[in-house]
Amino acid sequence: MKLLIVESPNKIKKLRTFLDNSWNVAASVGHVCDLPENDMAIDLQSGNFEQKYQVSKSKADVVAKLKAQAQKAEAVYLASDPDREGEAISWHLCRLLKLSTDNPNRVCFHSITKEEVTKALKDPRPVDMNLVDAYRTRRAVDRIFGYQLSPEIQRFGMRSAGRCQTPCLNVVVQREEAIQNFKPRKYFSLKAVYKEGITAEYALPDKEGKYKTTKVDTEENMNILLPLLETHREHKVISVNEYTEDKKPRPPFITSTIITDAAAKLKFKPAKTTELLQSLFHKGLITYIRTDSIVISEEGLALAQQVLSASYPDIKADKPVIYNAKKSAQGAHECIRPTHGDDSRELQGNRDELALYTLIRNRFLASQCKPQVFKRQDIVLSAETDPAAFFLARNRIEVFPGFTKIYFDDSQDNKKDGEEEEEVGETFLEISEGSICNADKYITAAQETKPPQRFKLATLSKEIERLGFGRPSTFSAIVQIPLDRGYYEEDKKGFLHPTETGMSCIHLLRKTMPEAIIPDFTKTLEENLDVIAEAGNSYKTFMGSWFAEWTALLQKAKKFFVTVAKENPSLDKRPKEIMAEPCPNCKGAVHLYTGRFGKYTVCSSCDRKQNLEFTVSSEPCPRCKEKMNEHKGKFGKYLKCPKCQLTVGEENLKKLRAASEAGLVCPLCKAPMIERSYKDKNGGGTKTFYGCSRYPECRGTRQAEAVTIKKEGDKK
């Protein structure tokens, strides 16, 4: 039997619907290896930058099962996602399963359909070590950046720095500073309402002689202009221009645009959109979701033509519309599109997935439709004042709906500050050049320029893409990390405000290491990663030059950090005492702190935390029988085993002991189990089950007899 290894277990069900019995499908559940958290794990001394990967603790069982399945298989194929991260997963699996990276065991499919998967399995290839080197480079740079810069800013009370998260925070801080420093400017709108039924707005000719609506910039100019117009109410029509105008459909979605559109139209946050996209991809309903390419494959073009010919023949474009990817786009990918004509029925009952799928499908089909067509009429009127004042009346009539029959594009991307939405009329005005129109009244309104709008998570994702850092697979995580770490926060409407810590972090780095917060620093790296992926450079060569540059910047910055600490001693949050005994985990220096619940120590290298103020309890540890220590925390008293580090609240300890006495042990690791509960979404109430006490390291469970706990006030 052949073994096909994919990333997500959610893909297995769909794949089994069209793979025959000669195939066994298993999942790696994402990355199986990583650099250890408590160690740099990169050789910076010898200059070869070798990395020390290890199997992630949470993936030990997964790897063991994959090894057993691989030994029994006649052939193993690696079908991790078709991107840089996916290539790295296949590389790690080759090492763990003792497969040669030179053998053709790597398969890539951009959608989970029978045709796409069958085609991929017929054309396997070796693991692309250039892509792997690009991954290793990204991983090394991120590790060095974070591990070497974070300790420098932690002394000032900051949590961490990151190659992408810190420039992302800087974008939010810069926007906040622009808002705070904004000085509104007053201006005036001026309209003339004519007895002939025309409403026109004050206009001026540009350098090419084309009239464009404009505002009166000051109250003084308005006070000069308005009295002149009051005495000149007969305005002459100096031009009537009638023409057609096309509004083309937008290209199909890529990762950043679907995140933005889902936020605007469906009110989804980036994390939710990403989760729903992943689910739709795993079900085989859409193509690969991590893409920055608007290209549509030949299969996609044929699909659109087939659907439009059957359902919308009147608006189908005369020939397929070809979209070209930008230079930085990942060439092997295409846009996000449906894999079949219409799979809406498969999503009945799942409102959110159906809404997102419909949005993707409609945008894709609309991209292959004819433009929306308007007839336009521009009328320019002149008041015989000195100097002459002009007014422009604009009218438009839709003569062909085009793509808007499928997808209504109400994007505000190109709308300027203060610009009003243009209305669509029903008929043109019957008027000719040289006619005289009589102004019945003039309408003026005082307005102010508005500050730039704060970002939301979705618009911030689009902004970092515009600035050129991050990749489609990381946009959602990049904007989420500073939020999770308290560098900025969301208000009730979802707008992002930098916290005091976030502002302080950027202000500190501007003084000490400005290179760390500018987009160009990380944008340049992304470009170099693409060069490495295309075999234009090697991991070792690039890391040698990058690390030399980084080290020089960091050494220079460290001097500034010392200066800032000396000039502002109140900002220096470093502990004043270092313990004599090193950390038992990694031998790093252990710092002593005093907190709300007493003294505690934290390792400077691995962040191992140890409370020093506790009492020895008489309670034995359910796992290893060692006497447990009683501590105080923000949620009250809890017990912690000094030997195996099991931590449990008093109430849960009783449940853990009861399960242990009943002989309930985890089916995976044989550790004691604890009674837990969950809300039953279907039947209501609360139901119980038994979960491993080592959660989240172990996720073993046992079903308990269903018990519905009555709420207070329920009738007996």
Side-chain angles (χ1 to χ4, degrees), residues 27 91 100 122 183 223 238 263 306-307 346 351 355 390 529 567 571 578 589 598 690:
W91 171 61
S100 172
K122 289 180 179 179
K183 294 180 180 180
N223 290 336
I238 62 173
Q306 179 185 352
V307 174
E346 292 192 27
R351 184 176 62 183
F390 303 97
L529 293 180
E567 293 177 350
L571 298 178
I578 299 178
Y690 290 95

Side-chain angles (χ1 to χ4, degrees), residues 296-323 337-338 340-341 361 364-370 406:
I296 304 175
S297 66
E298 292 184 6
E299 293 85 353
L301 291 172
L303 174 66
Q305 295 296 308
Q306 179 185 352
V307 174
L308 291 170
S309 295
S311 303
Y312 301 97
D314 57 323
I315 61 171
K316 181 175 73 72
D318 295 331
K319 60 181 181 179
V321 182
I322 306 300
Y323 294 95
R337 63 168 178 84
H340 305 101
R361 180 178 182 270
F364 167 66
L365 293 176
S367 73
Q368 294 299 305
C369 290
K370 294 176 180 177
I406 299 176

Side-chain angles (χ1 to χ4, degrees), residues 1 3 29 74 108 122 184 194 233 239 266 318 344 351 373 425 439 480 515 553 562 576 605 621 633:
M1 184 172 285
L3 175 63
V29 198
E74 62 183 78
C108 292
K122 289 180 179 179
Y194 298 92
R233 290 181 173 268
S239 71
L266 306 177
D318 295 331
S344 300
R351 184 176 62 183
V373 181
Q480 187 67 35
E515 295 83 1
L553 288 173
V562 172
K576 303 299 185 259
S605 298
C621 173

Side-chain angles (χ1 to χ4, degrees), residues 657-666 673 702:
R657 191 187 301 114
S660 181
E661 290 173 356
L664 286 173
V665 294
C666 176
M673 305 197 81
R702 283 185 183 276

Side-chain angles (χ1 to χ4, degrees), residues 391-424:
F391 289 85
L392 173 63
R394 307 197 76 191
N395 189 20
R396 66 172 181 169
I397 301 171
E398 183 188 80
V399 294
F400 184 67
F403 71 92
T404 61
K405 286 183 69 173
I406 299 176
Y407 179 85
F408 179 66
D409 184 10
D410 56 353
S411 172
Q412 301 294 303
D413 291 350
N414 300 319
K415 192 174 178 181
K416 297 179 181 178
D417 184 31
E419 186 180 5
E420 298 179 2
E421 188 70 26
E422 190 175 359
E423 296 182 358
V424 179

